[in-house]
Amino acid sequence: MIASGGSRRHDAPPPAGSGPQSASGQDAPSASGQDTPSAGRRAGGTGRPAASTEPDRAHSGAAADGTARTDGTGGTDGTGGTDGTGGTDGTGGTDGTGGTDVAGYAWMVVTSATAVRVVAERVARLPSDLRVAAVGEPTARAARAAGWVVDLVPSESSGAALAHALPDTSGTVLFPRSDLAAPTVVDTLRARGIDVDDVVAYRTVGTGDEPVVLDSPPAAVLVTSGSVAREIARRMTPLDPRTVVACIGPGTAAEARAAGLPVHVVARTRSAEALLDAVVESLNPTAPNRKAPK
């Protein structure tokens, strides 16, 4: 579906006090890491206890043919890590944090609120002719909060759906992303003959290797991405048999199982709200017995 856009143009300054929201994984809060801007490399978010994402200070990106770009023009790693879009006009700071130029792109595709935050921190305003596609409503809300007009939100919240829903274009698509993002968006767009600048905007770094020990077993563990699942398996297992493992979507549930975690709850839609609703429902003793997730 086409999302309703804001009333302001991209080149209008955002209202005072507004700011992008952030999330890890696919627009949901992460339990094993924090998202931090990175310019030019692939990156991804994991949860707080296990890993964090931080800026990649080098201006390097992937060209449309997948080759590395190290001439300081990078940052267009695929908008998934939205801070990696800068430096194309040569005005970027030496630390890779400033002078981001997104002019000349037909579309910018964002697949997480973190990517929105990173790009918004680097770009004061978007060009009026740059169209924005967001993977789902949580990401779209973050983009609108940053003062952007959102032109496209697919009916299904997935990278594949977004790549298929994007209109044909002869222009280049900017995709800022996490360093752990799957290649689905880039591969699908290129298979359609669409030129993509695939930029790593933020990356995941570890916060330690020691086991996470809690005073008492948690009632539930929220798994918001595959990287979170792997960190939970690495640092929190064995989990108490009474602990409910709740995943934000089928893809994350599959990665959690692959990491050796049991999966008790899968959110009906891929959003933080749906995940929390599913956990509350599962922990409510008056609710009907939940069915095993598919």
Side-chain angles (χ1 to χ4, degrees):
M1 71 176 176
I2 301 297
S4 57
S7 59
R8 296 184 302 102
R9 294 173 59 85
H10 289 312
D11 51 1
S18 68
Q21 302 166 351
S22 68
S24 0
Q26 185 83 252
D27 306 319
S30 170
S32 65
Q34 67 183 27
D35 296 320
T36 324
S38 149
R41 279 178 231 154
R42 292 185 66 87
T46 56
R48 184 58 180 164
S52 66
T53 57
E54 67 178 18
D56 181 346
R57 298 302 186 185
H59 272 310
S60 63
D65 61 355
T67 60
R69 186 165 61 192
T70 57
D71 59 355
T73 63
T76 59
D77 67 343
T79 70
T82 60
D83 71 342
T85 61
T88 56
D89 62 352
T91 62
T94 56
D95 66 349
T97 60
T100 298
D101 185 2
V102 296
Y105 290 101
W107 284 85
M108 180 165 63
V109 173
V110 285
T111 55
S112 73
T114 301
V116 173
R117 174 177 61 81
V118 174
V119 170
E121 288 174 350
R122 300 294 188 87
V123 183
R125 63 194 63 178
L126 299 183
S128 59
D129 58 349
L130 176 63
R131 304 183 71 186
V132 175
V135 74
E137 279 303 328
T139 302
R141 287 196 298 268
R144 295 185 188 108
W148 302 356
V149 174
V150 178
D151 301 282
L152 173 66
V153 181
S155 56
E156 178 186 338
S157 298
S158 72
L162 180 60
H164 285 295
L166 197 78
D168 290 330
T169 177
S170 58
T172 301
V173 173
L174 175 63
F175 178 45
R177 60 169 175 80
S178 154
D179 68 330
L180 299 182
T184 306
V185 171
V186 172
D187 289 352
T188 302
L189 291 176
R190 288 179 180 165
R192 293 179 53 196
I194 296 175
D195 188 31
V196 183
D197 264 357
D198 177 27
V199 176
V200 173
Y202 58 98
R203 63 191 179 93
T204 302
V205 296
T207 59
D209 295 315
E210 67 280 359
V212 176
V213 180
L214 303 175
D215 292 336
S216 59
V221 172
L222 309 186
V223 184
T224 56
S225 70
S227 56
V228 170
R230 290 185 287 274
E231 289 300 312
I232 291 172
R234 186 172 72 92
R235 298 182 59 191
M236 295 184 67
T237 55
L239 293 170
D240 188 279
R242 296 166 294 179
T243 297
V244 171
V245 176
C247 297
I248 199 169
T252 300
E255 293 193 72
R257 293 188 183 101
L261 297 178
V263 175
H264 306 104
V265 175
V266 178
R268 292 184 178 87
T269 60
R270 191 176 178 85
S271 70
E273 295 87 348
L275 178 60
L276 294 175
D277 285 344
V279 170
V280 170
E281 181 179 336
S282 72
L283 297 178
N284 184 351
T286 63
N289 292 332
R290 62 178 182 275
K291 297 180 180 179
K294 297 180 179 180

